[in-house]
Amino acid sequence: MSEGIEITQELRQAFISEAQEYVQRLNDCLLELEKNSGDADALTEMFRAAHSLKGMAATMGLDGMADFTHEVESVMQAIKDGKIALDEEDTCLFFAAVDAIENMLDQFAAGNDAPAVRGLGCEQVTAQLKALLEAGTTGEGTEAKVLEHSSHLNGMDHTVKVETAKLDELINLIGQLVIARNRLAAFCEAGDVPEEALQEIDQATSGLQDLAMRLRMMPIQSVFRRFPRMVRDVAAELGKKVRLEISGGDTELDRAVVGRMGEPLVHLLRNAVDHGIEPPAIRKELGKPEEGLVRLSARNEGGRVVVEVQDDGAGIDPQRLLEKAIAKGVVSETEARQLNESQILELIFLPGFSTKEQATEVSGRGVGMDIVRNVIASMNGVVEVDSKPGLGTTIRMHLPITLAIVKAMLLKAQEEIFAVPLEFIVENILLDNRAVKSMMKRPVMEWRGEVLPVVSLREAVGLQGQCTGASAVILQTGKRKAVLEVDEIVGQQEIVMKSIGHFLGSVKGISGATILGDGRVSLILDIASLLN
Amino acid sequence: MATSVLVVDDTAFMRLTLKNLLTKNGFSVVGEAENGEDAVQKYFELKPDVVTMDITMPKMDGIVALKSILQRDPSAKIIVCSAMGQKPLVIEALASGAKDFIVKPFQPDRVVEALNKVMSGGSA
């Protein structure tokens, strides 16, 4: 059909990414329609998305897809014109139809140039769509005028698409500039460079860095948007009633962070629906509304982004959790007795831990909380759990806004300098050795009414001897705090986070490396693992 | 000088397709618009020789945009793009002053022919 139109790689890519956008839009509209079948905006939008997809598919020469979307469009048209009333069953049919389109798109993206409607009961979908149409229409022209309306679902605004690779290159260059500036600062301190020159470079570099960072930022909405559909499907499969409330989707994060949030959120939301929310009958018995509530939210908080998954379900019973942990040999009974409630809850993050006896099809047996923690920790993030039996569970993730350039505190142990991202540091203190006491054979110190463990940097990184001097910093990740004893606090600096390379793999306690102003390499401490 | 064209379509993919096609055939795509409102504004900003106008678009559809442009500039040369099965709309567009129509999926020869014909003063 598309004789003559040259299908370039660029065109192919443009097609796939835009078609995916339309599939997403179809899903969004269906969810709206499921709530309110008379939503005219959603109907119009859905019709238009199907129409656009049809035109695009035809242009790419994907006849199977064009024909199928044409069916969908025709039925949408009939509904829009009031010839067919949309009932619940039809909505399910449309969900299946959208899945079929997505499936064809996936086939095409995977290299199949003639994707066809197949599997997933798609043949039936086509037949049912046709039947629906015949029942409701007299079979005349398939398009009416689309009314003018405010289209809240149409997210295309004045933006330019840039290849990620180019952006990364820019960030890398700016990273080098930051390092050069830091070196220059070192010369300046020695009196070799006039200070004004440094100030100008300093301003320009900071400005560039800030801008480049913002270029890399994207709203977390792009991950959030697929969850309404997923939660709906999981709830339907389990016979539960669940309402998903999403807020803060416009919160911006580095695209690398956003890109890695999908997997942990899938786990957490599935868990919330599967293990958290009770079946409607039980909820009713408990005096709760039959429909469970799952909240997914994001917000900025103190230079970091907090993403939360909250449910009003059964919550976690710490006693049962502990029994289970002991039975599984995750902790010994002696250890168990020393754990406080929040420490008990944290046991769910240990590998292979599940409190649900029956593995369900939805969440599987390993609930995957260890996966969640690993992903979050690998981004210098922290995950916490809060739960009240009978009232629900909240999983809270604190994430860095960016992974590329961070403000860090430089700390010295012997002659080595280590960097700690500033967000982990609460305070610098003078350490009075007499204040350090021993508790259960471990050094602790009282700080503002709290008893904190004292960790020596030398010991943590495997250097010999005791820390000299009287400097320490108070570290915090999530609820956990500790005192880190060092030889010297060197000062604050912006550092460019570099990976230490694949051949070293992941080194416990180290999350990366950076190059200092004097050209030396400094290792970045992984505070989350240090405090465990 | 190459004929200047304003490409109007709500999908970026279609705009890219048309742009590639037109550029390869010696036309100069001077602007793109993704809805009717945008199209009207860009038309008077860029004053292109020809407009290719999609019909189904958000905010303002192609027919309304076409009428709105022709009202202020009766000499505007607009070609409507439609999908199959949009016959009644194509007729409405032609009655409202569209010079010609092309049907998706585009056939390059037909597109080029339509533009050349419109430029040489012919009409459908």
Side-chain angles (χ1 to χ4, degrees), chain A residues 38-312:
Chain A
D39 189 330
D41 280 0
L43 274 171
T44 310
E45 180 78 27
M46 198 171 161
F47 161 76
R48 204 164 43 219
H51 178 77
S52 297
L53 267 174
K54 176 183 78 173
M56 288 165 62
T59 302
M60 287 298 283
L62 305 175
D63 298 351
M65 191 160 160
D67 291 347
F68 185 74
T69 42
H70 178 72
E71 299 293 339
V72 176
E73 181 196 339
S74 305
V75 182
M76 283 319 300
Q77 173 74 53
I79 294 169
K80 211 156 65 73
D81 293 351
K83 288 176 183 154
I84 307 173
L86 188 72
D87 63 23
E88 206 173 307
E89 230 170 87
D90 300 337
T91 320
C92 289
L93 181 63
F94 275 116
F95 272 123
V98 175
D99 285 343
I101 296 172
E102 194 173 9
N103 178 275
M104 282 187 273
L105 203 54
D106 289 346
Q107 291 177 40
F108 180 65
N112 177 359
D113 281 340
V117 182
R118 63 155 195 237
L120 298 166
C122 288
E123 293 85 352
Q124 282 113 293
V125 175
T126 319
Q128 281 173 4
L129 283 173
K130 281 201 167 122
L132 198 59
L133 192 61
E134 271 157 28
T137 62
T138 46
E140 44 169 308
T142 54
E143 185 160 350
K145 247 175 83 178
V146 177
L147 295 174
E148 193 177 329
H149 81 298
S150 65
S151 139
H152 57 100
L153 290 164
N154 190 349
M156 292 186 228
D157 44 17
H158 299 281
T159 50
V160 181
K161 286 193 178 163
V162 181
E163 243 177 274
T164 339
K166 286 185 189 146
L167 210 51
D168 288 343
E169 204 181 317
L170 179 68
I171 303 284
N172 207 4
L173 282 170
I174 292 171
Q176 288 178 20
L177 192 60
V178 169
I179 291 168
R181 186 224 19 217
N182 292 349
R183 294 200 59 173
L184 197 60
F187 284 122
C188 192
E189 244 165 62
D192 296 343
V193 179
E195 203 161 320
E196 308 86 70
L198 179 67
Q199 271 169 5
E200 276 165 35
I201 291 181
D202 198 34
Q203 271 176 7
T205 318
S206 302
L208 259 177
Q209 190 185 322
D210 190 51
L211 179 69
M213 283 240 322
R214 277 186 281 133
L215 281 179
R216 279 188 65 89
M217 303 273 264
M218 63 190 282
I220 198 165
Q221 183 65 26
S222 55
V223 185
F224 280 6
R225 59 196 298 194
R226 63 179 154 125
F227 293 129
R229 174 74 200 273
M230 188 198 87
V231 167
R232 174 199 172 275
D233 289 354
V234 173
E237 201 177 310
L238 294 165
K240 293 183 179 178
K241 289 189 183 162
V242 180
R243 181 158 51 97
L244 176 67
E245 271 185 21
I246 294 185
S247 62
D250 52 356
T251 309
E252 293 201 323
L253 281 158
D254 190 290
R255 57 191 318 123
V257 180
V258 172
R260 284 159 76 180
M261 284 307 289
E263 195 193 7
L265 284 174
V266 166
H267 278 291
L268 293 176
L269 287 166
R270 278 174 179 265
N271 278 345
V273 176
D274 191 4
H275 304 302
I277 304 294
E278 311 90 334
I282 293 181
R283 289 182 64 92
K284 207 172 168 187
E285 234 168 74
L286 293 168
K288 287 179 169 183
E290 277 185 43
E291 189 181 56
L293 177 63
V294 175
R295 273 206 189 97
L296 172 61
S297 65
R299 61 176 187 271
N300 282 294
E301 204 178 279
R304 307 199 99 195
V305 168
V306 176
V307 178
E308 241 174 39
V309 175
Q310 193 176 24
D311 69 66
D312 72 343

Side-chain angles (χ1 to χ4, degrees), chain B residues 18-120:
Chain B
L18 263 180
K19 193 176 168 177
N20 287 350
L21 173 68
L22 293 174
T23 311
K24 222 169 79 181
N25 285 283
F27 295 92
S28 157
V29 175
V30 291
E32 297 177 23
E34 61 184 36
N35 60 55
E37 257 175 43
D38 201 15
V40 176
Q41 199 197 336
K42 292 245 169 74
Y43 179 82
F44 291 103
E45 215 171 89
L46 303 166
K47 290 279 182 175
D49 297 329
V50 192
V51 181
T52 68
M53 179 81 77
D54 184 30
I55 295 180
T56 308
M57 287 183 297
K59 282 191 188 160
M60 183 194 280
D61 71 36
I63 305 246
V64 177
L66 168 108
K67 287 179 181 163
S68 159
I69 291 173
L70 283 169
Q71 201 174 31
R72 284 166 62 190
D73 179 6
S75 69
K77 295 186 178 73
I78 303 173
I79 296 175
V80 289
C81 309
S82 75
M84 282 177 300
Q86 291 186 309
K87 217 174 189 177
L89 288 176
V90 171
I91 294 170
E92 190 187 345
L94 292 174
S96 308
K99 293 279 187 278
D100 201 347
F101 68 97
I102 44 182
V103 180
K104 295 176 197 174
F106 299 128
Q107 285 168 15
D109 296 347
R110 172 72 191 109
V111 175
V112 172
E113 183 197 309
L115 266 94
N116 283 334
K117 207 165 74 183
V118 166
M119 281 314 291
S120 63

Side-chain angles (χ1 to χ4, degrees), chain A residues 486-508:
Chain A
V486 302
D487 281 327
E488 189 190 332
I489 295 175
V490 182
Q492 280 182 34
Q493 198 173 89
E494 267 169 352
I495 58 164
V496 182
M497 302 258 258
K498 302 256 183 204
S499 124
I500 44 179
H502 295 299
F503 34 87
L504 281 179
S506 70
V507 179
K508 193 174 153 40

